[in-house]
Amino acid sequence: MVCTVVVGGFWGDEGKGKVVAYLALKDNINIAARAGVGPNAGHTVIHKGKAYGLRQIPSAFVNENAKLLIGPGVLVNPKVFLEEVEKTKTKGRIFVDYKCGIIEEKHIKADAELKKRIGSTGTGCGPAMAERVLRKAKLARDIEELKDYLADVPLIVNEAIDNGDNVLIEGTQGFGLSLYHGYDYPYVTSKDTTASSFAADVGVGPKKIDEVIVIFKAFPTRVGAGPFNTEISKEEAEEIGIVEYGTVTGRRRRVGKFDFEIAKRAVMINSATQIAITGIDKLDKKCYKVREYEDLTKKAKIFIERVEEELGVPVTLISTGPDIFDIVDLREEDYS
Ligand code: GTP
Ligand code: IMP
Ligand code: MG
């Protein structure tokens, strides 16, 4: 039984939602706790033919037996949260920590300046985080509409780990967007986005983490301004069939080639124990929906081998399409 943190290795949108949803079902996750900044993130989960763009609810909601939590380090926009609870029909098993910071309308207004200057998502996260640091923010415990959902998230998560449950900590954004380690300040988000911070967001200490899965897109993407050394032109991206739009902002994502230098640093700073590669079908269309390693093409296998060799960590999950079960799972352990 394990406690796993799932994190993004590039600039977000690596497919954390899809991978988390898969793990939630496959490993029969008991507890899933969302970490990260807040509703600036959008995880896409395609479940039973329906697509969800989740900004607050853990993607593990697809497992109806999982308890869903939002850690005290995460910002909550009550309106976005309540709408998603409705859409996912998760009332009764979703809980928000008393101490989550709250995003208010004034934060969304103030974010307009950041949107212009660095290309923020405009969701109010940066200004709400700043207000929290100034010790002026409202917390979830102050919000009447959230009172049915309040809980002591760190206590629930730690008790579950001590009981031997399978616990998943769902990170958001990606290594390249970290306030401390990203590429490059000021074109980053409003806090650190590495595994240690995600564990802290939900109140779990470093010795209780068993696995850190860092997810890399075969072709990284970036939304908003900021350096992107391996970026390719729009036309080149179209030629290889990569046209993506942001889940939250609808902006077209910039596309680049795999950046081994940044990936190496993401592995080091996250203390990765496993790597997941998503979008291998974009590297080679013939890999679309493949579920067995043997059925991947030579081109895909050469790429996976190079990733393992250069990064020194096993690639255990290879995503071959957007659906939850479009995946090659090479993990040896049986989590069931
Ligand atoms: P953030 O928390 O915002 O960083 O998002 P995320 O990591 O959950 O990723 P997001 O869902 O925003 O973007 C990933 C996109 O790629 C979505 O449209 C997914 O449906 C899609 N996707 C995920 N895995 C694969 C894959 O292996 N192949 C293809 N073709 N699409 C994928
Ligand atoms: P903010 O987090 O809204 O302040 O935006 C700061 C930067 O992080 C911008 O470049 C955003 O596009 C980017 N960003 C924040 N969250 C995500 C995410 O979940 N996926 C992709 N980019 C993100
Ligand atoms: Mg996203």
Side-chain angles (χ1 to χ4, degrees), residues 12-18 41-44 46 172-173 217 244 247 253 278-282 319-322:
D13 308 322
E14 297 89 355
K16 293 177 289 294
K18 180 249 161 86
H43 294 315
T44 311
I46 300 173
T172 59
Q173 287 80 42
K217 265 179 151 163
E244 291 185 23
T247 316
R253 292 176 181 160
T278 55
I280 201 77
D281 53 305
K282 306 250 164 127
S319 176
T320 57

Side-chain angles (χ1 to χ4, degrees), residues 89-266:
K89 300 186 176 60
T90 43
K91 190 167 185 190
R93 64 184 181 105
I94 169 104
F95 300 94
V96 172
D97 192 85
Y98 293 96
K99 294 179 179 174
C100 286
I102 294 296
I103 297 180
E104 297 175 74
E105 211 43 49
K106 63 179 177 185
H107 300 132
I108 296 172
K109 284 205 181 102
D111 208 0
E113 188 273 324
L114 269 170
K115 197 172 176 181
K116 248 189 251 152
R117 188 156 55 90
I118 64 145
S120 79
T121 58
T123 53
C125 288
M129 197 60 83
E131 193 150 80
R132 193 169 185 184
V133 173
L134 291 170
R135 269 50 61 88
K136 289 177 180 164
K138 280 190 181 154
L139 300 184
R141 65 187 181 209
D142 305 318
I143 307 298
E144 178 63 22
E145 299 91 297
L146 293 179
K147 76 173 190 324
D148 291 350
Y149 300 94
L150 297 177
D152 183 342
V153 167
L155 185 68
I156 298 172
V157 177
N158 280 279
E159 281 182 354
I161 294 171
D162 295 344
N163 278 339
D165 287 344
N166 275 337
V167 173
L168 206 63
I169 300 174
E170 180 178 340
T172 59
Q173 287 80 42
F175 176 70
L177 293 171
S178 163
L179 181 62
Y180 302 159
H181 308 291
Y183 295 85
D184 199 0
Y185 184 90
Y187 299 100
V188 290
T189 191
S190 49
K191 71 190 230 194
D192 177 41
T193 49
T194 63
S196 311
S197 289
F198 295 145
D201 283 344
V202 303
V204 173
K207 288 176 76 176
K208 287 194 175 172
I209 305 298
D210 302 296
E211 298 289 339
V212 177
I213 304 179
V214 179
I215 307 183
F216 295 108
K217 265 179 151 163
F219 288 92
T221 57
R222 171 159 209 171
V223 277
F228 193 177
N229 284 341
T230 59
E231 186 168 10
I232 58 177
S233 69
K234 264 187 180 176
E235 293 72 30
E236 229 181 308
E238 277 161 20
E239 258 166 50
I240 46 178
I242 310 180
V243 181
E244 291 185 23
Y245 294 90
T247 316
V248 175
T249 59
R251 291 180 294 188
R252 183 152 170 189
R253 292 176 181 160
R254 298 156 66 194
V255 180
K257 293 199 171 134
F258 199 93
D259 187 326
F260 283 93
E261 286 316 304
I262 289 183
K264 267 182 209 163
R265 225 173 143 79

Side-chain angles (χ1 to χ4, degrees), residues 33-50:
R34 185 150 164 164
V37 182
N40 49 350
H43 294 315
T44 311
V45 177
I46 300 173
H47 183 50
K48 294 184 179 162
K50 213 170 152 186

